[in-house]
Amino acid sequence: MWTVLTWIKPSANQIHLWNYFWAVKPLLELQKKHKVFFMIADLHALTTVHQKNFIWKASLNQAKIYLACWLDLNKVTLFRQHKVPAHTELNWIFSCITPFGMLRRMHAFKDAIAKDKTEKISAWVFNYPTLMAADILIYNPDFVPVWQDQKQHVEYAQDIAQKFNHLFWETFKIPKELIDTNVAKVPWIDGRKMSKSYDNYIWILDDKDTIFKKTRRIVTDSIPLGTPKNPDECNVYNLLKLFLTEEENKKIRQKYETWNFSFKEMKDLLYNKLINFLEPIQQKYRNLSDEEVIKILEENEEKCRTITNKTMKKVYESIWM
C-alpha cells in the first residue's frame, strides 16, 4: 500500500467536469488500495484570491463536493492546508536551503517574467515551490499524482529532500511523480480543454436547464445525412464517450460511419448521460450539511497535525541534535 499526497486549489467555489476526470476519478481509484492525503490548498489560493471569506467558503464547498463523489474516509484524509501549521514551518526550513536560481527557473515565475507581471504578482508566486515541497514531504508520501505540467513541483520536492538529507540527516523519503497518461481530456463547446479561463466548462452542480443550454451550444459541423464522419473530430462525441460503456461506444462510432442521425439526437443523448451522471452526486451534495463537513475536516486536521508534528520533530533533531 502506498502513501499518496494530492491536492486541489480552492480558487473557485466548485469544480467542473475536467476537474472530475483529472482529479476526482483517479482519486477514487487510488483510495481502493492506498492511503491518500488530500489537501485543499487554501494557502496557495492566497497567491491570487484576496476576497475576504471567499477561500474559506470555496474550501468548504469543494470539500462537500468531493465527499459527494464518494470519497472513502477510511482511506482518504481530507484537510485544509492552513489548519496544519507545520506546512509553513517546514517551508521556512526549505526556504533557507533553496538557492535563488532554483526558484527563478520555476515555470510560474518564468511565465510572470515573460508576461511582464513582476510588478503585480506577490512574492509568493516566486516562493510557492518551497511551500509545495513542504506540503509534499511532510507526509513522506511514496507517490504524488500530477498532470504533466505539474511534474516540476515533484522534481523540486525531490531535489530539496535530497539536499536536506545530504546537509543534515536522512529525514525525508524521495517521492515519485505519478502521471496517468490515460486520464481523459474533457473538451467542451469549442473543442478546447474545459477551463474556467476559456469560459467553456460545465460545473458539477449545474442544474438541468443550464446543462441543456450548454450542450446545445457545442459547435458542430454541417454535413448531409449519409456522409461518413470521424467521431474523434466531433466535439459532442469527445465529451459523450466519457460516459459510454464499451458496447455503447462501439454502436455510436458505427453510427458516425454512416451518419444516419442528427447532431440534435447526439446532443440529446449527451444531455441525458450528463444528467444521469451528475444527479446522484448533486443529491448527495444536498444531503451534506456544512456542519457535518466541518466536523470531518477538523477531525482529519487534528490527525494531520499529529503526523506533521512528528515529522517536524525529526527535522529539528536532524538539524540541531
Side-chain angles (χ1 to χ4, degrees), residues 107-214:
H107 295 322
F109 183 70
K110 288 173 66 177
D111 183 60
I113 292 289
K115 295 178 180 177
D116 197 25
K117 293 182 178 180
T118 50
E119 295 302 317
K120 298 179 181 179
I121 62 173
S122 69
W124 269 111
V125 174
F126 181 73
N127 292 327
Y128 85 93
T130 60
L131 179 57
M132 183 63 72
D135 297 331
I136 293 170
L137 296 174
I138 203 160
Y139 296 97
N140 276 307
D142 299 289
F143 288 93
V144 182
V146 289
W147 192 235
Q148 185 64 42
D149 60 0
Q150 296 176 317
K151 183 181 177 183
Q152 192 182 43
H153 294 314
V154 186
E155 292 173 338
Y156 170 76
Q158 293 166 343
D159 290 343
I160 204 67
Q162 290 170 340
K163 184 167 185 178
F164 184 95
N165 291 348
H166 175 73
L167 287 173
F168 302 109
W169 193 258
E170 291 288 332
T171 304
F172 296 107
K173 183 185 295 184
I174 309 301
K176 297 178 181 178
E177 67 271 13
L178 186 64
I179 300 175
D180 187 353
T181 56
N182 294 318
V183 170
K185 293 185 178 181
V186 182
W188 197 239
I189 299 167
D190 51 9
R192 293 185 293 182
K193 182 184 79 173
M194 190 174 292
S195 170
K196 295 192 296 295
S197 61
Y198 297 149
D199 191 29
N200 65 351
Y201 51 85
I202 182 166
W203 292 120
I204 290 291
L205 300 180
D206 273 346
D207 59 33
K208 292 181 178 180
D209 184 55
T210 300
I211 294 171
F212 180 82
K213 290 176 180 177
K214 287 183 176 180

Side-chain angles (χ1 to χ4, degrees), residues 26-276:
L27 181 58
L28 298 180
E29 290 300 312
L30 284 169
Q31 73 179 7
K32 294 177 181 178
K33 297 181 179 179
H34 308 293
K35 180 171 69 173
V36 180
F37 288 93
F38 183 46
M39 177 180 73
I40 299 176
D42 48 11
L43 291 177
H44 288 290
L46 273 174
T47 59
T48 55
V49 181
H50 302 132
Q51 295 96 325
K52 183 176 175 61
N53 291 332
F54 178 87
I55 295 176
W56 187 90
K57 293 176 181 177
S59 298
L60 181 61
N61 207 48
Q62 287 196 3
K64 189 184 293 189
I65 291 170
Y66 271 82
L67 289 168
C69 291
W70 293 280
L71 287 192
D72 181 353
L73 291 174
N74 293 316
K75 290 291 188 71
V76 178
T77 302
L78 176 66
F79 68 97
R80 293 164 294 185
Q81 181 187 22
H82 86 277
K83 290 288 187 176
V84 188
H87 285 248
T88 52
E89 194 175 354
L90 183 57
N91 167 60
W92 173 254
I93 302 294
F94 288 164
S95 296
C96 292
I97 63 173
T98 298
F100 181 89
M102 182 182 289
L103 293 178
R104 195 167 57 180
R105 291 191 294 271
M106 301 301 285
H107 295 322
F109 183 70
K110 288 173 66 177
D111 183 60
I113 292 289
K115 295 178 180 177
D116 197 25
K117 293 182 178 180
T118 50
E119 295 302 317
K120 298 179 181 179
I121 62 173
S122 69
W124 269 111
V125 174
F126 181 73
N127 292 327
Y128 85 93
T130 60
L131 179 57
M132 183 63 72
D135 297 331
I136 293 170
L137 296 174
I138 203 160
Y139 296 97
N140 276 307
D142 299 289
F143 288 93
V144 182
V146 289
W147 192 235
Q148 185 64 42
D149 60 0
Q150 296 176 317
K151 183 181 177 183
Q152 192 182 43
H153 294 314
V154 186
E155 292 173 338
Y156 170 76
Q158 293 166 343
D159 290 343
I160 204 67
Q162 290 170 340
K163 184 167 185 178
F164 184 95
N165 291 348
H166 175 73
L167 287 173
F168 302 109
W169 193 258
E170 291 288 332
T171 304
F172 296 107
K173 183 185 295 184
I174 309 301
K176 297 178 181 178
E177 67 271 13
L178 186 64
I179 300 175
D180 187 353
T181 56
N182 294 318
V183 170
K185 293 185 178 181
V186 182
W188 197 239
I189 299 167
D190 51 9
R192 293 185 293 182
K193 182 184 79 173
M194 190 174 292
S195 170
K196 295 192 296 295
S197 61
Y198 297 149
D199 191 29
N200 65 351
Y201 51 85
I202 182 166
W203 292 120
I204 290 291
L205 300 180
D206 273 346
D207 59 33
K208 292 181 178 180
D209 184 55
T210 300
I211 294 171
F212 180 82
K213 290 176 180 177
K214 287 183 176 180
T215 55
R216 285 300 183 268
R217 287 169 52 202
I218 300 177
V219 176
T220 56
D221 298 327
S222 296
I223 61 173
L225 293 177
T227 303
K229 179 172 178 58
N230 182 354
D232 298 318
E233 296 176 353
C234 174
N235 294 332
V236 182
Y237 170 78
N238 282 326
L239 184 56
L240 176 62
K241 69 182 180 182
L242 299 172
F243 306 98
L244 298 175
T245 65
E246 187 175 341
E247 186 60 30
E248 286 174 329
N249 188 48
K250 183 179 179 181
K251 290 180 180 179
I252 292 296
R253 291 188 71 89
Q254 288 173 345
K255 285 188 174 184
Y256 269 89
E257 291 174 1
T258 57
W259 196 242
N260 59 354
F261 63 105
S262 67
F263 278 118
K264 178 183 180 302
E265 293 175 60
M266 191 61 67
K267 289 181 178 181
D268 286 343
L269 177 59
L270 172 60
Y271 169 77
N272 290 327
K273 287 290 184 180
L274 284 167
I275 296 303
N276 290 338

